[in-house]
Amino acid sequence: MIPRLPSALLLAARGLRQHAASSWCAIALLALASGGALAALALREASARAFAAGTGPFDAVLGARGSPLQIVLSSLYHLEAAPGLVPEAEVDKLSDHSAVAHAVPLVLGDNHEGWRLVGTSPGLFAPELWQGQPAAPRLLAGGRLFDPARQEIVAGSQAAAALGLRLGDHLTPTHGLDYAAETAEDHAHEEEFTVVGLLEPTGTPIDRVLWTPVHAVQHLGGHDPAHAHDLSAVLVRFRPEAGAAGFMLAQNYNAPGGTLTLAWPVAAHVAALFERFAWADRLMGVAAAFAAALSALCVVIALQASLAQRRRDWAILRAIGARAPTLGAAILAEALLLGVAGAAGAVAVAAGLQSLVAWQIRIRTGVLLAPVPPAELLATGAGALLLTCALAALWPAWTALRSPVAEHLAPPA
Amino acid sequence: MLALRVRDLVKRHSATAGAAPVEIRLDALDLEAGAQLALRGPSGCGKTTLLHLIAGILRPDSGEIHLAGELLPATAENTRDRLRARHLGYVFQTFNLLQGFTVRENLQLAQRFAGREGTEADAHRERLLAELGLAPFAHRLPARLSHGQQQRVALARALVNRPALVLADEPTASLDDAHAAAALSLLREVCVSHGAALLLATHDERALRAFPAVRDLKPLAPAA
């Protein structure tokens, strides 16, 4: 029996079923094209937001004279090497500054199986430093912070999971930031470190680091004793009432002839990184337009497929009393049904792609991206897809309205 | 009451693109309710075009067509669609069944477009399916039926809205003698039992012999 649907919807549903192969192809293409474009747009936005949030509570980073972006990437995201060394005395100097609330030293240069071993002070884990932040490094039950005088490790959640670390485990670090299994033995330090604490996941690059005292790294065998009191960077948090202190300090440190660089404000440098990829925004725009054009083409192809059969069916329907506007509405409804199915597929594809990329970014950078695109973007994308489908159906619908009934009642030759 | 009344019907058309236009002309034709008439003419003389004109599928250049007492307007396409759905059944030479719909659904769609839905319409449809021996196949798609069964579906669809007039275009073409006789007999009997007038267009002498009234169509004349 015929379902009690409006005639246009009924004819549309049957049209899709009758031309199932082309319908499914169109739905798959719609889902892939639109889902890919949606995921690209969403990821661009999500990664910019997540990387900006990844700077944590810090306002500035002091490093050796060099690129502020390199200083930020190496010290906050643990993605590159530091441009040089900073005298340890700079920590005390900054700590004594009236505008500075926290100055946290960092020493880079070693790893364990590719996971960075970073020397710092217990001040990095001070709860007051992380007040107001969405995530803070908290120790899991049973562990403790490292003793600044001992070779102990507090492991970030991701590093601990990847290395299978548990409290009380021992490990020997390897010199350098990059790890190669075949040469690891040649570069291995002799010192053994003990895992004394494990951190809860924070969704920030902190999760990817093996944290240890500054002096434990500075005095590792094989390191140049002349630099045993140097740091890689100092993370700085200003007092809320500090006002223009960041600007003044940056002016001083970054003056010509200096040996240090103050990357301030860090969020601006991260934003500048994404500004460098403004061309990618334009590319996304082109990709979205391409996806829309491809979607429209899919719908036209699906509706125009088996055109002779369709025209005959339209003529038969007219001959048994269907009105021309009913057929036009049926074609429009068929395109919209394709659009609805395609939009559902696009949402699934976009969510799948974003969670896949988010997972990879989390593994490679520790930065936690939203696993699915924002609902507003998905709704806008679905709406745009439906509109595209409706526009794409106008020509086939017009063709159906103007189709000469008598001419198409005869079977195709 | 007249099931069909045609006056001074003229239609100019070209059989193929670029061909010289010809003129189909029918001065007068009356068909009483329940009457049966065969139109005789050789292939290409415009029989199908004439049936399409009567069905309102084509618009005449001039003249009048009344279906069950209602004037088929030349301009209002929606009205022609409505009158065709309500007063006319059409058995096409190639049946023209909708391949994406089952037998029952082919009939239901015709009822829906005529605005005839509901319990009484459902009962009438099921009776018709049973009467024509189609009840066991009502759930099947047309492609899964034999030629004879498809012809009966086409007939059932033509009659499902209790039309005043049934048009049949070469219903015995491509059938052997036995099947042609059976098909024709069924068509005529069912039209009689349902009170529908029957206008059949054919050049098949076997069909023409079975009809009580035959009218010859004029040869096509070059258009003025």
Side-chain angles (χ1 to χ4, degrees), chain A residues 2 5 7 14 312 318, chain B residues 77 84 96 105 108 112:
Chain A
I2 283 181
L5 293 171
S7 296
R14 288 303 171 88
R312 185 141 188 252
R318 292 295 313 281
Chain B
E77 195 174 14
R84 177 165 65 249
N96 281 345
E105 289 170 345
Q108 270 185 292
R112 174 178 280 207

Side-chain angles (χ1 to χ4, degrees), chain A residues 63-71 83-84 254 258-263:
Chain A
R65 179 52 60 105
S67 151
L69 182 60
Q70 188 185 353
I71 292 169
N254 300 341
T259 57
L260 300 173
T261 295
L262 186 72

Side-chain angles (χ1 to χ4, degrees), chain A residues 141-312:
Chain A
R144 61 171 173 81
L145 270 185
F146 50 71
D147 181 337
R150 302 174 71 172
Q151 284 163 332
E152 293 179 338
I153 280 175
V154 169
S157 62
Q158 208 180 331
L163 294 167
L165 295 179
R166 290 190 298 185
L167 294 177
D169 283 355
H170 300 286
L171 56 90
T172 50
T174 307
H175 188 65
L177 293 175
D178 299 319
Y179 176 76
E182 57 276 15
T183 58
E185 217 168 286
D186 301 336
H187 299 287
H189 290 291
E190 288 179 355
E191 292 84 349
E192 194 174 66
F193 285 68
T194 306
V195 178
V196 296
L198 300 171
L199 293 173
E200 287 179 6
T202 64
T204 71
I206 281 181
D207 297 347
R208 296 178 45 78
V209 175
L210 301 169
W211 300 98
T212 193
V214 165
H215 295 288
V217 179
Q218 286 173 328
H219 295 99
L220 277 172
H223 284 184
D224 185 353
H227 297 296
H229 295 288
D230 287 340
L231 306 170
S232 303
V234 184
L235 308 179
V236 181
R237 169 80 184 265
F238 293 117
R239 295 184 192 283
E241 66 277 12
F247 175 75
M248 298 301 292
L249 273 173
Q251 289 286 311
N252 291 338
Y253 275 112
N254 300 341
T259 57
L260 300 173
T261 295
L262 186 72
W264 173 89
V266 287
H269 289 293
V270 176
L273 171 67
F274 282 88
E275 283 302 310
R276 289 188 190 184
F277 299 107
W279 57 268
D281 280 340
R282 290 192 288 277
L283 199 64
M284 294 300 151
V286 172
F290 179 73
L294 192 61
S295 302
L297 192 63
C298 291
V299 172
V300 171
I301 288 171
L303 295 179
Q304 297 288 96
S306 316
L307 193 61
Q309 175 65 47
R310 278 175 186 273
R311 280 190 168 147
R312 185 141 188 252

